Amino acid sequence: MQMPHGLDIARLYDEHAQALYAFLLNLTRDEADTRDLLQEVFIKLARDEARLCGVREERAFLIRLAHNAAIDLMRRRGTRDRTRENFAAETSSLFAPASDPDAATFRDELAGALAELPAEQRAVAHLKLWEGLTFEEIATALAIPPNTAASRYRYALDKLRGRLRPLYEEVKQAES
Amino acid sequence: MTPEIEPFEQRLGRQPVKPVPAAWRAEILAAARAAQPAAGTARPSPASWLASLFWPYPRAWAGLAAVWGFIFLLHFSLREAPPTLAQTAPAPAPSPEAVAELRQQQKLYAELMDAPGPREADRPRLAAPKPRSQRWDVAAA
């Protein structure tokens, strides 16, 4: 679908939907919310094509849109069903299912550990670990200072390490 | 930073995330297409138009505009106030005594000007002045 001024929404989807999907799923931990937010992002782009005018880093810009949409959703939801956060068993896992039992266990534990992180730390950890962004890029995408991004990542990693250490040692020993 | 953190991070980053469901693509693109303003009726909002106009340094442009605004304000605030009505109102008519005094002075001035005999400065010169060297000879003689 070619839009005026050359905005190709289909190309944008093909290039960035996977990254946005994983980011939103990690933030919301809900497939239906993730789908709604992903659609909201692309509808915003289609409605106002000037949003992308002059944007150099499409990925960072789209992550920012997605992050803002997710934060808005969490704020709307925050007042009426705060208990949603407590139903970890009902949440959608970020990770693909694994055939190897050890790998499957590790992914389940990791998903659980991620779910325990505050949303802002989870967002930074996701962009660093699964998008490979630098702290400067994360800072741009989330509109925070780079030092804040770095400190949030350090806290998140410490918590993940503390939670996953026994399992991680087991997996390492099994591999060696 | 502990030495184990590097391989730990690498292991986390290697965990594959779920792929976006394939069925979503058509649905989301259809929704985006439906939301797209019709061709020809699309009119950019003032904010987006300004953003595209001043991209890629909108803050710098906004700062420059603020500086110019400040300069204009300063200019207009320091400008002299326009003359008041009291200052521009015509002077009151002179009294008859003052008019009579003025006429008398005009008459006296006319009489002085009409005095016989031109003044020394007004008397025409008979010949052009001689060169300075000749004037010296005349003075010595």
Side-chain angles (χ1 to χ4, degrees):
Chain A
M1 178 170 57
Q2 187 72 32
M3 296 198 166
H5 303 294
L7 179 62
D8 187 350
I9 201 86
R11 176 192 64 78
L12 288 173
Y13 186 91
D14 291 339
E15 289 183 4
H16 305 293
Q18 174 60 44
L20 296 178
Y21 166 75
F23 180 64
L24 289 170
L25 186 59
N26 201 353
L27 280 184
T28 64
R29 293 176 290 136
D30 184 278
E31 286 270 351
D33 285 346
T34 299
R35 190 201 173 287
D36 290 347
L37 291 173
L38 194 61
Q39 180 167 305
E40 187 182 327
V41 167
F42 282 95
I43 283 177
K44 275 182 183 170
L45 286 174
R47 274 190 188 145
D48 188 4
E49 62 199 41
R51 279 173 184 269
L52 270 173
C53 180
V55 169
R56 291 170 191 159
E57 293 293 334
E58 280 181 353
R59 175 67 60 88
F61 180 79
L62 293 175
I63 284 172
R64 187 168 188 167
L65 274 185
H67 182 251
N68 290 344
I71 295 296
D72 287 346
L73 179 75
M74 287 177 196
R75 282 179 185 155
R76 286 200 302 271
R77 288 262 171 83
T79 51
R80 56 189 168 94
D81 58 350
R82 214 174 275 282
T83 54
R84 190 187 188 89
E85 290 283 315
N86 298 328
F87 291 107
E90 293 178 8
T91 60
S92 305
S93 172
L94 172 67
F95 303 105
S99 54
D100 177 48
D102 288 341
T105 306
F106 187 79
R107 285 177 200 175
D108 287 345
E109 284 295 315
L110 177 56
L114 282 170
E116 288 175 2
L117 295 177
E120 62 270 19
Q121 290 179 15
R122 201 158 62 233
V124 173
H126 180 92
L127 295 177
K128 182 73 178 162
L129 291 169
W130 288 285
E131 285 300 318
L133 300 187
T134 63
F135 289 128
E136 284 75 16
E137 290 167 335
I138 293 171
T140 304
L142 302 184
I144 54 176
N147 287 341
T148 305
S151 63
R152 283 181 186 175
Y153 178 70
R154 196 173 62 246
Y155 289 136
L157 205 61
D158 285 347
K159 287 177 186 170
L160 292 176
R161 200 149 42 94
R163 164 85 186 257
L164 297 170
R165 186 191 296 273
L167 188 61
Y168 178 60
E169 295 297 334
E170 272 184 38
V171 171
K172 267 204 314 187
Q173 283 176 0
E175 286 176 353
S176 61
Chain B
M1 187 177 284
T2 54
E4 66 185 301
I5 209 162
E6 279 272 337
F8 179 70
E9 286 180 66
Q10 286 173 4
R11 176 169 287 275
L12 295 187
R14 278 203 305 268
Q15 303 304 314
V17 297
K18 273 201 276 195
V20 59
W24 289 12
R25 186 181 188 277
E27 295 167 8
I28 289 176
L29 288 183
R33 192 179 292 118
Q36 181 189 3
T41 60
R43 182 171 292 180
S45 64
S48 63
W49 180 77
L50 279 174
S52 62
L53 186 65
F54 293 119
W55 205 260
Y57 303 112
R59 286 183 185 176
W61 286 110
L64 191 63
V67 168
W68 273 108
F70 176 73
I71 290 171
F72 275 114
L73 279 177
L74 199 66
H75 173 73
F76 284 112
S77 64
L78 293 181
R79 221 165 70 166
E80 284 182 7
T84 59
L85 277 177
Q87 290 170 320
T88 54
S95 62
E97 293 81 11
V99 171
E101 181 74 18
L102 187 64
R103 282 188 181 153
Q104 195 165 357
Q105 284 181 2
Q106 282 176 345
K107 191 176 173 185
L108 180 62
Y109 181 70
E111 285 172 4
L112 285 173
M113 291 301 289
D114 288 343
R119 291 179 300 167
E120 183 66 25
D122 297 334
R123 193 177 295 162
R125 300 191 174 183
L126 295 176
K130 295 179 178 179
R132 195 178 292 271
S133 57
Q134 291 179 16
R135 273 191 274 166
W136 175 255
D137 293 343
V138 170

